[in-house]
Structure formats: C-alpha cells, structure tokens
Amino acid sequence: MSEPLLQVENLHVDFQTYGGVVQAVRGVSFDVFAGQTLAIVGESGCGKSVTVQSLMGLIPMPPGRIHQGSARLRGQDILASKMIAGQDIRGSQISMIFQDPMTSLNPTMNVGSQIAETLEVHRGYSKSEAFARAIELLDMSKIPEAAKRAKQYPFEFSGGMLQRAMIAMAIACEPAILVADEPTTALDVTIQAQILDLLGDLQKETGMAIILITHDLGVVARMADEVMVMYAGEVVEKGSVDDIFYRSGHPYTQGLRQAMPTNNKSTEAEQTLVAIDGSPPDLFNPPRGCAYHPRCPYAMQVCAQQAPPTSILGPTHQTQCWLHHDMAGALPDGLVSGNEAGR
Ligand code: SF4
C-alpha cells in the first residue's frame, strides 16, 4: 500500500475552562491516503470536529491545547511546524468546507473575489488571473453562468449554490486533503445528493483525499471508503465501510446503525428505530475504563475498570472493546450496576 498523505498518532486536545479541563480528544490515531474518503462519525461532542480543527490550527489556543501526539502531512510534522498557525497548510494543502455556507462567506464581497483572494494569498496570482480562475472553479463546481454569478454577492445565491461556491473556494489551491464538516446538514435532500455527487466527481478528477465529518450514516454509506467511529474523544472502531455497516464489532457502532432509518425494513418491528439509552459522558471527568460502559448493554465488570485494548477483527478492521479480547470468555462476568435496563 502507498504511504499515507496524513498520519495522525495519539493526538490529545483539551480545553482549559473555568470549570476544569475538557478532555475533548483522547489519543486519536488515523491515516488518510490519496484519493480516499475517510468518514469520521459519532454523536455531537464526540471530538470529531475538534480532531480535524486542531490539525488545521482552527482551535483557539488558549483555551485549547494540543498536549500530546503528532500529525505528519507528506512526512512533515504539521503540529511542530510554524506553518500550522500560518497559512501554508490551511487553504493550500488541507482545506475545509463548513456546515453553513451562509455564515462562512463574506456578505460584503462578491463570490468571485472571495475565491480569487485565496489564489492571490496562497498561489501569488494577480487579481485578474485569480478572478478568471475563480470563474473556472465555479464552472467546475457546476454553477450555471459562472462568469455572471462570480460578480454576485452571497445573498443572491441559494443554499445549494452557496455550498458549491464554498467547494470552489476550497478546491482553488488544489488541496491534497479536503475536510468536509457536515457539508450537507443545512441543505434539503435533493441538493444534498447533488453536493455529494459533486464532491465525488471532483475527487475523481483531482485525486484529493476527503475527510468527511458527519453524524449521518446515510452520507457515510454513499461516500466513504474508510470509517472511524468516535466516542467521548476516542476512536472506538475503524474499518472499511463494509466492516462498519455489515460486521461492526463495537456496541456503540451497532447502536448507531440501529438508530439509522433504511428503506429495506418490511415489518413494523424492523422499522422501529432504536435509540441509544443515556447520554455521552462528561468530558471534564470521563468514565474510567471503557467510556461507553455506562450506556453499554453488554458491559462487564472489567469494562468499568480498565480501558479495552485494540482488537483486530480483520485486515482493515479494528475496535476497542473487551468483547473481542482473546480472554473475553475468562473475564470477570456480570453487568456493571445500572446497565440492566439497556440489555
Ligand atoms: Fe461495552 Fe465493555 Fe465493549 Fe465498552 S468494552 S463497548 S462497555 S462491552
């Protein structure tokens, strides 16, 4: 297999607040390869956005702090490098599209000039060259009458067109990695599908990798090659999209899947969505052992005492759960008190 474009190892990010230290990201590791789509999934507050924003220098420090770990982009340590706080990485080699394009674009500048500005800053284009390229990028992003639209302001665009303009801006510098943070949440279903198709087409044309941050498993099934499931600031399962959808090994991933609506269920019982009981833990003081144990229907005594080691479930598939440990049969049995309702 080729070398990864991005290698993240044991990343820890916390936030110092008046109430204490929020341990938002706790030992996250992953690789991203050229042309691949990695989806990072999990409930709100699981640390998926903070993980990527910390790599891009987008979290305010203080109160944020990366206190452990490394991240290498094409072998270069982007956390140790000054570039992380500057502009070389952000917008040139890694760029990002956000959930709400209306608040991400400047309402006082026309759309073409906003895209052109990226090229002037990162690529040294002249104003006229940059504006001409901005029109090409809008055209690539399937905005009709791109030359006319480039001179219009964000308020003159629909939600779907604004997201296309954001994509045009994000790909302007031909990034190696495009981060899409909930890129379709603010859009209706038909426009969602068009935006996902556009991202897929651009990926085929340019060979860029995509990191897709989402809580929508439907989007994951459609777009992702690899999936990383996060819970309470940790990675609990990683695998190919088939590993996660057909062979998931972690009770949390299974819970997310059961909460996902599908068209393939015929009986009423199959159509009932099953919610995961309880709420995500307090990251000021994460639970000891497996962070999921207060909600897990299969929790054993060991789960509340010791963090589970990594279990390899297949060539591309791994999870952090005591159920898959070689010694699982010999582990101290019995439910952790309070979980009986979830069983
Ligand atoms: Fe459940 Fe224990 Fe596995 Fe955690 S380690 S997911 S509590 S069975």
Side-chain angles (χ1 to χ4, degrees):
M1 191 180 256
S2 57
E3 283 290 299
L5 265 179
L6 177 69
Q7 283 179 290
V8 178
E9 272 175 39
N10 198 26
L11 184 73
H12 288 254
V13 183
D14 59 31
F15 292 88
Q16 315 272 339
T17 72
Y18 289 117
V21 178
V22 181
Q23 300 171 46
V25 176
R26 306 185 297 141
V28 166
S29 302
F30 62 93
D31 294 337
V32 180
F33 293 86
Q36 179 196 56
T37 299
L38 169 73
I40 307 182
V41 301
E43 289 164 291
S44 299
C46 69
K48 52 192 191 301
S49 293
V50 174
T51 298
V52 177
Q53 286 173 6
S54 64
L55 300 177
M56 296 187 69
L58 290 178
I59 58 168
M61 297 193 202
R65 184 175 68 121
I66 299 172
H67 68 94
Q68 210 178 317
S70 67
R72 296 187 170 277
L73 181 68
R74 295 197 166 108
Q76 180 181 20
D77 186 346
I78 57 172
L79 298 184
S81 160
K82 279 189 292 184
M83 285 169 40
I84 194 70
Q87 295 178 325
D88 289 352
I89 295 284
R90 220 163 42 197
S92 70
Q93 297 199 52
I94 308 181
S95 62
M96 189 155 186
I97 51 174
F98 296 93
Q99 200 175 116
D100 185 357
M102 187 46 112
T103 54
S104 307
L105 289 166
N106 182 342
T108 66
M109 276 174 87
N110 69 49
V111 170
S113 299
Q114 295 188 54
I115 299 169
E117 196 176 45
T118 313
L119 291 161
E120 289 169 47
V121 171
H122 292 290
R123 290 286 187 265
Y125 279 46
S126 70
K127 265 200 179 334
S128 58
E129 285 169 347
F131 200 83
R133 178 66 181 148
I135 293 171
E136 285 173 15
L137 288 161
L138 287 171
D139 193 45
M140 273 173 76
S141 303
K142 303 201 168 67
I143 292 199
E145 300 180 89
K148 179 178 143 202
R149 288 292 187 176
K151 294 182 189 137
Q152 293 183 332
Y153 289 81
F155 76 87
E156 296 174 89
F157 278 43
S158 66
M161 281 189 18
L162 283 173
Q163 194 57 292
R164 287 171 195 274
M166 282 294 298
I167 291 171
M169 192 183 296
I171 61 167
C173 295
E174 296 163 23
I177 300 174
L178 176 70
V179 177
D181 189 354
E182 305 278 9
T184 56
T185 303
L187 305 174
D188 67 49
V189 184
T190 42
I191 305 296
Q192 247 182 44
Q194 291 171 13
I195 294 293
L196 295 177
D197 286 346
L198 173 63
L199 285 173
D201 291 348
L202 290 171
Q203 185 178 37
K204 276 192 208 118
E205 271 172 48
T206 62
M208 67 186 174
I210 295 178
I211 300 179
L212 182 67
I213 300 170
T214 184
H215 61 262
D216 185 338
L217 290 185
V219 172
V220 174
R222 184 181 178 133
M223 289 284 291
D225 302 305
E226 297 288 318
V227 185
M228 179 166 104
V229 183
M230 288 188 68
Y231 184 78
E234 297 174 312
V235 178
V236 295
E237 187 162 10
K238 260 194 279 198
S240 68
V241 74
D242 283 355
D243 291 334
I244 297 300
F245 279 89
Y246 299 114
R247 301 178 282 275
S248 57
H250 196 282
Y252 177 61
T253 314
Q254 291 161 4
L256 290 179
R257 279 187 31 232
Q258 284 169 358
M260 176 188 169
T262 79
N263 294 330
N264 303 330
K265 296 177 175 175
S266 47
T267 67
E268 199 174 321
E270 282 177 328
Q271 283 167 4
T272 308
L273 298 183
V274 183
I276 301 175
D277 282 339
S279 339
D282 175 4
L283 292 180
F284 282 113
N285 190 15
R288 194 165 159 227
C290 169
Y292 190 54
H293 83 256
R295 302 172 77 185
C296 179
Y298 307 104
M300 301 168 283
Q301 286 176 354
V302 67
C303 304
Q305 291 156 5
Q306 220 175 310
T310 301
S311 295
I312 305 295
L313 306 182
T316 55
H317 192 189
Q318 64 182 58
T319 188
Q320 316 286 127
C321 175
W322 281 113
L323 291 174
H324 300 282
H325 192 263
D326 293 344
M327 301 286 288
L331 290 171
D333 213 358
L335 289 170
V336 174
S337 107
N339 285 22
E340 287 83 351
R343 206 161 227 219

